[in-house]
Amino acid sequence: MARKTSCNFVNATCTLKHQRFLNNGEFFMKYLRSLLGTLLSACVGLACADSQGNVFGLEIGKPATLPVCQYTAAGKYAGVQPSLCIEREVDSERFGNYSARRIHFPVAETPNWFYNDSIVSGYIDGKLENVYVNTSGYSSKDQALEALVKKYGKPTDIFEQEAQNEAGARYKVFNYKWVLPGLYVEFWPVQSTSLDVGIIRIETPVGKEKRMGYLKSLVQKERSL
């Protein structure tokens, strides 16, 4: 049975305390070279531009074309799906003209660095503008980063974050950002209070603006209480 994910339109931001990674540049370069190897020379910057608008078979800026997932006769989600599918529109999370719908993968096609078998896709006026993926945290950070570099090239920026596990031990972790034509990609390998879950955000400028507006409305609402 798939684990429940913590990724949705509200908490997919995974806001963390961080600062720009400016020091210890020699260590970072050794780390990056050993981790990415020839991937950087094979796919740097816009070298992968032809494939950047496609995320797990989804076309950014286009309406959803996936088949609806299987449900039971009682209208309940049927669990493990035989093929890539999207949940019903009626089950989506809504905010004005924005709707978030979960996309489910068959077990055999789910990347092993996913937290579970689903991701969240966000639509504005019916067009895909956001994709949120929960990763399985610290244990899969290298695999997730390798997949992102292979697709989007060398990160535009890198930040350092301090994380803490349940036992209270603290760790330094790198976070990554790609700024591409018409697309923003961010990878946070862990959360500030958990090493078990990370987040990848893939957004268009319109999608990012919508998310930030939603978060701003939440802050204003909390202040008015």
Side-chain angles (χ1 to χ4, degrees):
M1 183 175 180
R3 289 174 287 179
K4 183 179 180 181
T5 181
S6 60
C7 181
N8 56 42
F9 186 56
V10 177
N11 60 27
T13 56
C14 294
T15 303
L16 304 169
K17 292 182 180 179
H18 62 275
Q19 62 183 24
R20 192 178 300 274
F21 181 62
L22 295 175
N23 300 319
N24 203 357
E26 182 179 355
F27 168 79
F28 163 68
M29 289 306 297
K30 289 181 179 178
Y31 167 83
L32 195 59
R33 282 196 297 266
S34 65
L35 174 64
L36 305 180
T38 57
L39 285 175
L40 292 182
S41 61
C43 181
V44 176
L46 301 181
C48 302
D50 291 342
S51 62
Q52 287 173 357
N54 184 296
V55 181
F56 300 115
L58 310 173
E59 288 291 332
I60 299 293
K62 302 290 182 65
T65 58
L66 293 173
V68 174
C69 295
Q70 296 180 3
Y71 288 78
T72 66
K76 302 293 184 180
Y77 175 67
V80 177
Q81 300 291 319
S83 61
L84 191 66
C85 63
I86 189 168
E87 71 177 1
R88 299 175 302 186
E89 179 70 27
V90 68
D91 295 327
S92 65
E93 180 180 351
R94 291 189 161 277
F95 170 63
N97 65 339
Y98 180 93
S99 65
R101 300 173 69 183
R102 192 168 296 282
I103 292 173
H104 295 270
F105 290 72
V107 174
E109 296 178 20
T110 303
N112 58 13
W113 45 269
F114 271 26
Y115 183 74
N116 65 6
D117 66 354
S118 68
I119 63 177
V120 173
S121 56
Y123 301 84
I124 299 175
D125 294 327
K127 295 181 180 179
L128 179 65
E129 307 289 356
N130 311 79
V131 175
Y132 300 131
V133 183
N134 273 138
T135 69
S136 51
Y138 193 84
S139 64
S140 67
K141 61 183 178 62
D142 291 351
Q143 292 173 290
L145 178 59
E146 181 177 312
L148 289 168
V149 170
K150 186 174 182 179
K151 186 172 184 63
Y152 298 113
K154 182 179 178 179
T156 305
D157 215 342
I158 298 172
F159 302 87
E160 189 180 45
Q161 165 205 343
E162 186 175 85
Q164 180 176 310
N165 64 15
E166 295 180 356
R170 296 182 178 277
Y171 298 80
K172 294 292 185 181
V173 181
F174 297 119
N175 302 312
Y176 306 86
K177 179 171 68 175
W178 291 257
V179 180
L180 305 164
L183 201 65
Y184 297 96
V185 181
E186 293 183 359
F187 174 39
W188 305 80
V190 301
Q191 297 185 30
S192 59
T193 57
S194 173
L195 300 181
D196 297 328
V197 183
I199 180 72
I200 295 172
R201 288 201 303 260
I202 303 170
E203 304 175 301
T204 66
V206 173
K208 183 174 182 179
E209 182 180 3
K210 190 70 172 181
R211 175 175 58 83
M212 298 304 293
Y214 180 72
L215 293 175
K216 184 177 180 180
S217 71
L218 289 181
V219 172
Q220 292 174 339
K221 184 177 181 180
E222 289 179 357
R223 288 176 177 175
S224 64
L225 294 179

